[in-house]
Structure formats: structure tokens, C-alpha cells
Amino acid sequence: MRIVIKIGTSTLTDKNGILNIPYIDSFAKEIALLKKEKNVDIIIVSSGAIRAGLSYMGLTKKPKLLRQKQAFASIGQPLIMQAYRQAFKPLNLMVSQMLLTRYDFDDRQRYINIRSSLNELLLMKNVIPIINENDTISVDEINFGDNDTLSAVVAASVQADMLFILTDVDGLYDGIPYKSNIIRQITKITDELLEIASPNSSSGKGTGGMKTKLMAAKIAASSGVTTFITNGSKLDLIYDAVDGKQIGTCILPNKKLQSRKSWIAFGKKPKGFVVIDANATVAVRNKNKSLLASGIISSGGNFNRGDTISVMVLDPIEKQNIEVARGLSNYNRQDLNKIIGKSSQEIKKEFPSMLCEEVIHRDNLVVIK
């Protein structure tokens, strides 16, 4: 079995923002127990670099400027790795570090290299790979924004069986946390569920709230990974889940995309979008057809050939565009705008030099809703 565990800032640090060393020691012991008794391969996606840097410098207020966040992440990252290394060493386990950005997943070859490196590390049974977003160099264009999403993309890339998103509550509640019921099992993440989830971190320390966790679980579910959102302070719950017991909120996988399509859907960041008509929507969503120019109403963004673009449709009730698919565009936006709404025959007649009939070939198209 292969699992990915995402541990959040609120779980990794105490109320003063200082690294919680006793907790990290207990966490390491739980990991060692899982490896020894269940023979589980484990990858950790760890938050906390910025917070650890702040506390080390004697500060408490979270910085707002990007350059400040990058600086504190640079200070905090080695502190976190030192804490993990010291916790795992008495257990005869070593740690490795991998710092990633969205750009690393955006490029297909780099994506494959990440996957290969992680698979090789997992073959070393006494090594625990620890991943964090490379906050020191990340900017808006290349960052994930939260480690929930990063953990889901990692879980998809290594074809994990389970993803654990550890937080400071017991799961997704159907109302106010601890004053309502936990939703124990989710078979499909709907708009209604996303409305229930809070958009912000409950602790104020991290970057992702429950909604972010559900969106991450949606990525994992589409890649055949079962996700658990649960309380990180109750470490034995990970063991229980691996043992087949119900814990926290469990989001079941609904399908399993091929590795390449999983990368198209979730590894690459969309650079633009197209809005399609009703006929094209049926062809793409229900008939596994390629997207043709004749079915496109409009486009947006700044994309080139080979970039991922979102395929949108107009929701007649909400009166806004919703994303239904993603794919690799055969055109840059400038060329695409020349042929929007035109039939294949018209394109061949007016633009004989155009590359191909399909704007997105069905082999490069992934339905996500």
C-alpha cells in the first residue's frame, strides 16, 4: 500500500506558532509503526516553513508581502527538516527533501522526473520523502497556493492508494464544527458540499480551509485515490484507516484517470479557456468526442499551442461559466480566434495552413465535471 500524508501548519506548530517537537516525535513513531506492521510506503507533504521561520525570528504576525513570505520560508524550511530528521533518526528511518512548484508539474518531462525520483525513494524502505512547496522562490504564476492541492497532485502522480489531509478538526461538518455532525463519507464532491466548507483556514495559520481540502480530494478521487480529512492530533487514526476502519471524512474515488490524463487535468495549470455551445458540450461530455472550432463561442487568457486550457459552458441558472473539461490546445489564442465557430470545411477553405481540425483532440481532453 502507498499513502500520502499532508500535515498542515496548525497541526505542526503549537498555539504560539513554534514547531511542536513532541507532536513531530509522536508522528514519526506512528509512521514507523505503519511501515513495520503494515509495510506501507509513505510520502509526507509538510507545511509550516513560513510559520517556523517567523517563530524562530521571534515574530507572530503573518507577512503579507511575497518577498517576506519567501524570506521566512527560507529560514523555516531547514528548521522543519531538522525536526523531522531528529524525530525519525532514533527509529532507524531517514528523510529526504523535495521542494516543488507548480512549474515542476506543468512540464511533462519534469513531472515524470518527479514521479521517478519519488518511486526510487520509496524503494529505499528506510527513507521517508518529505515534500513542501518551494515557497522561497514561488510566485503567483508558479505556486500551488496551498499544500492540500500539492499533496493531491503528488498522490495522483505516484498512484497512491490513500491521501490523508491532517487538519485541526475531526472532518467536514454539516454545520458549525463540533456543534453539528461530521459527514462521514462522500461519493461525489458537489457544489452544495463546497458551499458548506469554509473558504479560510480555521486556525489562521495556514493557507487552505476546508473548501481547499475538498478540492484537493476531488483531484485525488479523479485519480483513483481515497482521501481522508481528519484530525492530525489523533495520530492513531491513520493506522485505523489503513486497517480499514472509518475515520474523519472519507472521500471515495469515482474513477481512475490514466497517468497522462491526470497530469493534463491537474498537473498543468490552465493558461486560458474556451466557452462552448450546447452541441459541443454533449459531444465532449457524453460522447468522448474531440472539441472542434465549430462548437466554440469565445476564448480567453493567453495560451499557446500545447498549453492546457479550461473548457467552459454557460450555466443557464447561475448565468456564469462553469468548467467541464480541460485539455491541451492545438492552437494559440490568436490563431484560434480566427476559426471560432467555423466548420471544418470553412477552415480548410479560408485557412489551409491551419494545423488540424480539432482544437483539442479527445486523447488530450479530460472531462472533470
Side-chain angles (χ1 to χ4, degrees):
M1 178 179 286
R2 180 172 290 185
I3 68 174
V4 175
I5 302 172
K6 183 267 177 176
I7 183 166
T9 301
S10 62
T11 304
L12 201 63
T13 59
D14 63 20
K15 62 181 181 180
N16 297 314
I18 300 172
L19 283 176
N20 191 338
I21 300 302
Y23 174 84
I24 295 173
D25 289 340
S26 297
F27 178 67
K29 290 175 183 176
E30 186 71 14
I31 297 304
L33 186 66
L34 278 167
K35 290 187 70 67
K36 180 181 179 180
E37 296 190 2
K38 297 297 182 179
N39 192 30
V40 178
D41 291 334
I42 298 169
I43 296 171
I44 297 171
V45 176
S46 178
S47 299
I50 296 174
R51 177 59 60 176
L54 281 169
S55 63
Y56 186 75
M57 298 299 290
L59 303 172
T60 57
K61 189 175 181 180
K62 191 173 180 180
K64 294 182 179 180
L65 297 178
L66 177 61
R67 63 177 182 270
Q68 293 174 330
K69 295 177 183 179
Q70 292 171 328
F72 285 115
S74 178
I75 296 168
Q77 194 59 239
L79 298 174
I80 289 177
M81 289 307 299
Q82 181 183 23
Y84 279 125
R85 188 174 291 110
Q86 291 177 344
F88 280 107
K89 186 176 181 180
L91 305 170
N92 296 316
L93 292 172
M94 295 181 287
V95 296
S96 71
Q97 183 181 36
M98 188 176 289
L99 297 174
L100 301 172
T101 67
R102 167 66 78 175
Y103 174 75
D104 295 313
F105 288 90
D106 199 60
D107 180 83
R108 177 65 177 166
Q109 189 57 54
R110 292 172 75 93
Y111 176 87
I112 292 172
N113 289 342
I114 291 167
R115 186 177 63 192
S116 298
S117 179
L118 286 171
N119 284 332
E120 190 65 28
L121 286 167
L122 292 175
L123 290 175
M124 305 174 190
K125 295 300 183 179
N126 64 333
V127 174
I128 308 293
I130 298 178
I131 298 172
N132 195 357
E133 182 160 12
N134 196 352
D135 294 316
T136 300
I137 65 169
S138 284
V139 293
D140 289 342
E141 289 78 10
I142 63 170
N143 73 353
F144 282 93
D146 63 89
N147 278 333
D148 298 324
T149 303
L150 174 58
S151 68
V153 175
V154 168
S157 70
V158 299
Q159 297 181 306
D161 299 287
M162 295 179 176
L163 167 64
F164 292 86
I165 300 180
L166 306 185
T167 183
D168 50 9
V169 293
D170 291 335
L172 174 64
Y173 289 83
D174 59 12
I176 300 174
Y178 298 111
K179 295 182 179 180
S180 55
N181 297 320
I182 292 177
I183 301 173
R184 290 296 179 183
Q185 192 174 90
I186 296 172
T187 56
K188 183 178 181 181
I189 295 175
T190 63
D191 292 339
E192 289 75 19
L193 281 173
L194 293 175
E195 286 184 11
I196 290 174
S198 169
N200 300 310
S201 168
S202 61
S203 66
K205 298 178 183 179
T207 56
M210 192 58 70
K211 185 174 182 179
T212 308
K213 292 167 177 50
L214 287 183
M215 293 304 295
K218 187 175 181 178
I219 293 173
S222 296
S223 303
V225 182
T226 301
T227 301
F228 295 91
I229 300 173
T230 189
N231 196 323
S233 66
K234 303 174 183 179
L235 290 172
D236 57 329
L237 293 180
I238 302 174
Y239 190 100
D240 288 344
V242 171
D243 217 22
K245 297 177 182 178
Q246 172 66 56
I247 69 161
T249 297
C250 174
I251 299 93
L252 299 174
N254 47 48
K255 57 183 176 180
K256 188 170 184 177
L257 294 172
Q258 296 176 346
S259 176
R260 186 171 180 279
K261 288 211 167 185
S262 178
W263 168 71
I264 291 172
F266 306 115
K268 286 175 68 65
K269 187 174 183 178
K271 301 294 178 62
F273 67 89
V274 292
V275 180
I276 62 176
D277 62 24
N279 290 335
T281 302
V282 172
V284 167
R285 295 177 76 178
N286 303 332
K287 297 183 179 180
N288 191 32
K289 298 288 187 179
S290 299
L291 176 61
L292 305 181
S294 59
I296 298 177
I297 300 170
S298 62
S299 70
N302 182 22
F303 55 89
N304 294 308
R305 184 172 185 262
D307 284 341
T308 296
I309 58 174
S310 296
V311 180
M312 317 284 284
V313 299
L314 178 63
D315 187 311
I317 299 175
E318 299 293 333
K319 302 298 181 183
Q320 63 182 12
N321 293 329
I322 58 172
E323 186 180 33
V324 296
R326 289 182 184 179
L328 304 182
S329 176
N330 286 327
Y331 293 92
N332 61 41
R333 189 187 176 197
Q334 184 178 4
D335 286 341
L336 177 61
N337 284 341
K338 297 176 183 177
I339 61 173
I340 281 178
K342 296 183 182 296
S343 67
S344 298
Q345 290 76 16
E346 289 174 316
I347 295 171
K348 288 178 181 179
K349 181 179 179 181
E350 297 179 34
F351 305 99
S353 62
M354 288 297 184
L355 297 171
C356 52
E357 295 182 36
E358 301 94 353
V359 174
I360 304 177
H361 191 277
R362 65 181 182 182
D363 292 343
N364 297 325
L365 185 63
V366 184
V367 176
I368 62 175
K369 187 172 183 179

